[in-house]
Amino acid sequence: MDTKIYLKNLLLDSPIVYAPLAGFSDFPYRQMAVPYGPALMFCEMTKVEGILWSPQRTLKLLEFSEDMRPIGGQICGSNPFLAAEAARVIESLGFDLIDLNCGCPTDKITKDGSGSGMLKDPIGLGKVVEAIVQSTSLPVTVKIRSGWDFENINVEEVVSVVRESGADAVFVHGRTRSQGYVGPANRDFIRRAKAVAGTMKVFGNGDIFSPESAKDMLEATQCDGILVARGTMGAPWIAKQIREYLETGTYHVPSFLERKEAFLLHLRYVEEYYSSEAKLLTETRKLCGHYLVSSENVRFLRAALGKAKTREEIYSSIERYCEEYCRDEI
């Protein structure tokens, strides 16, 4: 397998891409990922209307640093004209790639035909992709699910439309919209996408939580690359693990101490970026269960953090937890 992938004029030095995750893929989240070398990262998804009509609020989501390159901007919207205008803004901000989200399953996104709602109208989806392609010189990719529900699996049709509309790659989630994140991702849908994609690159997505599952995705579907989403939560190092496993058959598993130190570093990045104690409290509660999910009695730490009201209480709770429950792991 060739580990380098070209998307138009953009070279990805591995097949491992980190997905945009609403509520997670913020600036500190991406700072954590940089040392582990994913081939491509994204800022959080932004609605095209937000980019065009509420730029001050939306542009905060689109901040990145040079060491995060290559960096993608993911937009969401079903209006070709607005999508094209938003793509021009994304290019002007210095992004390396533009992705159209046709996979988000939430009601607030699909109610206007955006996100995975676009799977119901492949022709309309194609018009949006074509408008974006014609508006920018950047590589254009599309994130899809395999169908609206099991009675409407149209992954081959949608991938064919995406290809004919000029996109450079498609990210295929092996679940339907109706599944949400319940049940296993069907890799046969991704294999079927690859079979009709022609020269367009296909990235498999869904249930990639370990190097083993990444290797299985590549082998079972013959896709060109993988899109890791929830598998990055509390594991910014998973790209490095996957590369190691594909190359050597083994990989490093972080110790509790390494995971704890990564958690604390992530909190430091949150403090530096947001300068907000309230934001630190929110992010600490959200991230704890991901970084320390496999630790004994972590529920006690989560309960303590849920009651914390200051920065000092956060760090004292973490240290107290480590002293009481994690001596052997350290």
Side-chain angles (χ1 to χ4, degrees):
M1 181 186 67
D2 187 359
T3 59
K4 294 183 179 180
I5 298 172
Y6 274 99
L7 300 180
K8 204 170 184 177
N9 58 347
L10 178 65
L11 173 63
L12 306 186
D13 63 9
S14 86
I16 308 157
V17 176
Y18 282 6
L21 292 166
F24 278 90
S25 300
D26 63 354
F27 195 95
Y29 198 88
R30 285 177 274 119
Q31 279 182 289
M32 289 298 299
V34 166
Y36 303 103
L40 172 68
M41 289 190 290
F42 285 89
C43 293
E44 294 180 68
M45 180 187 75
T46 52
K47 290 278 288 182
V48 296
E49 293 85 353
I51 294 173
L52 300 175
W53 301 334
S54 303
Q56 185 172 4
R57 178 181 178 184
T58 303
L59 292 182
K60 182 70 174 177
L61 298 174
L62 296 173
E63 291 183 353
F64 63 89
S65 57
E66 287 298 309
D67 61 355
M68 295 175 186
R69 293 190 184 278
I71 185 76
Q74 186 186 69
I75 62 176
C76 179
S78 56
N79 181 297
F81 175 77
L82 297 182
E85 289 296 308
R88 293 186 186 98
V89 173
I90 293 293
E91 182 168 14
S92 73
L93 293 172
F95 281 85
D96 298 304
L97 176 146
I98 298 172
D99 182 72
L100 175 66
N101 183 303
C102 301
C104 181
T106 62
D107 290 340
K108 69 178 181 179
I109 297 297
T110 61
K111 66 182 180 182
D112 68 352
S114 300
S116 57
M118 298 188 75
L119 301 175
K120 292 182 173 182
D121 180 18
I123 294 175
L125 187 158
K127 290 179 180 178
V128 176
V129 175
E130 187 174 345
I132 295 171
V133 169
Q134 292 177 353
S135 72
T136 180
S137 63
L138 297 179
V140 175
T141 61
V142 182
K143 171 73 164 62
I144 69 169
R145 286 195 170 223
S146 300
W148 179 258
D149 54 32
F150 284 112
E151 286 68 47
N152 295 279
I153 301 297
N154 59 349
V155 63
E156 287 108 334
E157 179 186 4
V158 172
V159 168
S160 296
V161 167
V162 168
R163 182 197 68 222
E164 292 165 7
S165 299
D168 298 286
V170 61
F171 301 106
V172 183
H173 190 131
R175 290 187 178 89
T176 66
R177 186 270 178 182
S178 64
Q179 280 183 274
Y181 297 96
V182 178
N186 189 325
R187 294 185 174 175
D188 186 56
F189 294 151
I190 299 167
R191 182 190 60 76
R192 287 161 56 178
K194 176 61 180 173
V196 300
T199 59
M200 182 177 67
K201 302 300 183 184
V202 175
F203 291 74
N205 173 225
D207 294 346
I208 301 175
F209 293 106
S210 67
E212 290 89 348
S213 59
K215 184 173 186 286
D216 182 68
M217 171 71 80
L218 290 166
E219 292 179 347
T221 69
Q222 294 299 299
C223 61
D224 301 285
I226 53 177
L227 182 70
V228 190
R230 290 177 295 156
T232 66
M233 292 178 172
W237 43 72
I238 193 170
K240 186 172 185 290
Q241 290 179 314
I242 293 170
R243 287 198 311 274
E244 289 178 356
Y245 188 65
L246 293 177
E247 293 169 3
T248 69
T250 62
Y251 60 93
H252 173 69
V253 178
S255 66
F256 171 80
L257 180 59
E258 289 171 305
R259 288 185 282 120
K260 174 204 168 189
E261 291 304 315
F263 179 40
L264 292 173
L265 177 60
H266 198 146
L267 298 188
R268 193 185 86 194
Y269 287 154
V270 169
E271 285 194 271
E272 291 174 350
Y273 184 69
Y274 291 106
S275 300
S276 166
E277 189 172 61
K279 182 67 172 177
L280 176 63
L281 287 163
T282 300
E283 292 298 299
T284 301
R285 293 163 186 155
K286 182 170 69 177
L287 295 168
C288 168
H290 293 292
Y291 277 102
L292 306 180
V293 66
S294 62
S295 302
E296 183 181 2
N297 295 314
V298 72
R299 65 185 185 280
F300 294 119
L301 175 57
R302 299 183 77 171
L305 294 175
K307 298 175 183 177
K309 299 185 184 307
T310 65
R311 175 187 185 278
E312 289 71 26
E313 288 179 29
I314 287 173
Y315 290 107
S316 64
S317 295
I318 295 171
E319 289 307 311
R320 187 164 56 251
Y321 165 77
C322 292
E323 290 173 0
E324 292 181 8
Y325 298 109
C326 307
R327 292 183 183 277
D328 292 340
E329 293 186 78
I330 293 174

